Amino acid sequence: MFVSRLQLVNFRNYQNQLVSFSPGKVLIYGANGQGKTNLLEAIYYLVIGKSFRGKDSSLIRFGAESFFLGAKITKDGQKITLGIEYSGKGKIFTKNGQKQKGFSYLLGSLKGVLFTPDEPVNFFGSPTNRRKSLDLFLAQTSKTYLLNLIYYNKVLANKNALLKQPGTTENIIDAWDYKLAEYGAEIIKEREKSLRVLNELLTELNDELKFLLGKITIDYKPQGTLEKESFYRFLKQRQGEERIKKFALFGPHRDDFRFYLNDKDLKVFGSQGQKKGVLLLFKLAQAVYMTKILGEKPVLLLDDLYSEFDSEKRRALEGFFLNFSEQVLITATDPGDLKNYDQAVLINDGLVL
Ligand SMILES: Nc1ncnc2c1ncn2[C@@H]1O[C@H](COP(=O)(O)OP(=O)(O)OP(=O)(O)O)[C@@H](O)[C@H]1O
C-alpha cells in the first residue's frame, strides 16, 4: 500500500497543504525546522490515531481551532480515503466519506512503521515505552489483539478502583481477576508469538544487511501465563500483595521485553549506535512481518535516517527498503543523502514547494 495524497489543514506549521506522493522511495528534504517531521507525524497519525510526539491540542496550528488530516491510500489497486478532524470537542473519523464511531474502524487501513532518531532513548529507557511500541505494532496486525487489550485495560481500571475502595471482598476481586486472566493470557500469547517471529526476522535482517556484529536476542518476560486457568491462579496467589499496595501489580500491563547483543543487555551495555541499529532492525522486522504474515506491505516512515548511520549501513539499507514496503518516506536536510529516489519533496516553512 502507499499514500498517494495527503491533505493537512491547520496541522502544526501547515495551513492548507495538499501533497501527492509516488510509490517507491520518497525523499522529503529541507532545512531544519521547516516541517519535514510534521509531515511524517501527520501520516503516522493516520496509522495509529494519535501523534507519536505530542498531545492533540499541540498539533493545531498556532491561532487555529482545529486540524484536519486526510489521505488517499492505494491498496492492491483500490483507493481508500481516510480523514481525521480534531477540535477541542473531540475527533471525527471518516473512511471513504463515511463517518466512523472510533479510530478502531480506521485502524489497519493504512499500515505503517515509523523510526525517529529520538526513539531509541525512550524505547530503551522504560518498559512502558517498549510495551506501547509493541502494542502499536500488534494493534495494526491483529484486531483480536486490539480488542483483548481494550477489554483488559477496562477490567484493569475497574480492579484498580476496587483495590482502593475500603471493604472490597476477595470474591469481588476474584471476579475481576478471572476476566483479567482471560484477556491477559491472550495478550501474552500474541506478544510471545510475535516477539519470537520478530526475533527470527531481525536476525535474518542483521545477517543480510551486516548491520551489527553478533547475535541479537529478544527476551520477553511476561507477568502471567499463556493459559487462562493457570493465569487466574497466578493472580489469586498474589492478591494479598495487591490488596496491601492497593494496585494491580501483576499482568501484561507490567510485561517487559529486553534486547541482548551477544548476551549482554543492550540497555545497560549498548552504545548509542548499537541501540539505534537494533531498534531500526526491530522496526524493519515489523515491516517484514506485515509483508510475510499479513501479505500487506506497510509504508515506512524514516525520520532523519541518514544522519544516524554510517555510509556502509546506508548502502545496505537503500537496497533493502522496497523489498518490504511499497513506499518509503525518508526525511533529510541534505538532498544528496538518498540516492536513486522516485520523488523528492522540498519543504520550506510549512509549504511543499
Ligand atoms: N502547533 C504548531 N503550530 C505552528 N507551528 C508549529 C506547531 N508545532 C510545531 N510547529 C513548528 O514546526 C516546526 C518544526 O517542524 P518539524 O519538527 O517538522 O521540523 P523538521 O523540518 O523535521 O526539522 P529538523 O530537520 O530540525 O528535524 C517548527 O518551526 C515549529 O515551530
Side-chain angles (χ1 to χ4, degrees), residues 22-225:
S22 71
K25 287 183 202 164
V26 179
L27 172 69
I28 296 165
Y29 71 104
N32 293 129
Q34 301 303 304
K36 303 182 296 295
T37 308
N38 294 346
L39 207 65
L40 297 192
E41 186 179 27
I43 296 174
Y44 200 58
Y45 198 107
L46 292 156
V47 173
I48 63 170
K50 57 187 176 190
S51 163
F52 69 88
R53 61 173 183 170
K55 283 191 194 146
D56 286 327
S57 56
S58 67
L59 311 180
I60 301 176
R61 201 167 78 94
F62 302 146
E65 288 183 349
S66 62
F67 71 75
F68 171 79
L69 293 173
K72 200 172 266 178
I73 317 295
T74 304
K75 195 174 181 174
D76 302 325
Q78 291 194 321
K79 297 253 187 281
I80 301 169
T81 56
L82 302 177
I84 303 181
E85 189 183 333
Y86 170 80
S87 69
K89 290 189 210 128
K91 293 188 200 180
I92 299 170
F93 304 98
T94 52
K95 184 172 174 178
N96 295 331
Q98 304 280 314
K99 205 167 154 183
Q100 307 290 318
K101 277 193 215 140
F103 182 72
S104 58
Y105 293 84
L106 265 60
L107 190 69
S109 308
L110 173 61
K111 291 195 168 55
V113 173
L114 170 83
F115 177 82
T116 71
D118 302 337
E119 205 177 345
V121 174
N122 295 330
F123 184 86
F124 289 102
S126 96
T128 309
N129 291 335
R130 282 192 287 282
R131 269 196 314 272
K132 274 190 193 160
S133 171
L134 180 65
D135 283 343
L136 285 178
F137 163 69
L138 288 175
Q140 283 189 63
T141 58
S142 160
K143 275 257 147 61
T144 317
Y145 183 84
L146 176 67
L147 288 177
N148 281 323
L149 197 63
I150 292 170
Y151 296 146
Y152 180 89
N153 285 330
K154 279 189 184 157
V155 176
L156 182 68
N158 282 326
K159 178 179 165 181
N160 272 328
L162 284 168
L163 283 169
K164 286 183 182 51
Q165 253 175 44
T168 301
T169 65
E170 202 176 311
N171 278 350
I172 297 177
I173 299 290
D174 262 356
W176 292 105
D177 272 351
Y178 203 76
K179 282 274 159 212
L180 275 188
E182 185 181 336
Y183 301 127
E186 294 305 312
I187 292 170
I188 289 179
K189 243 184 258 172
E190 192 67 35
R191 286 182 182 170
E192 199 269 333
K193 189 186 83 192
S194 63
L195 284 171
R196 194 163 18 87
V197 176
L198 286 170
N199 200 161
E200 285 165 17
L201 297 173
L202 183 152
T203 303
E204 281 170 23
L205 281 173
N206 193 30
D207 292 346
E208 192 184 324
L209 297 171
K210 300 193 178 38
F211 224 67
L212 294 163
L213 273 180
K215 182 182 70 159
I216 302 163
T217 333
I218 305 175
D219 182 30
Y220 174 41
K221 296 228 175 314
Q223 292 294 304
T225 70

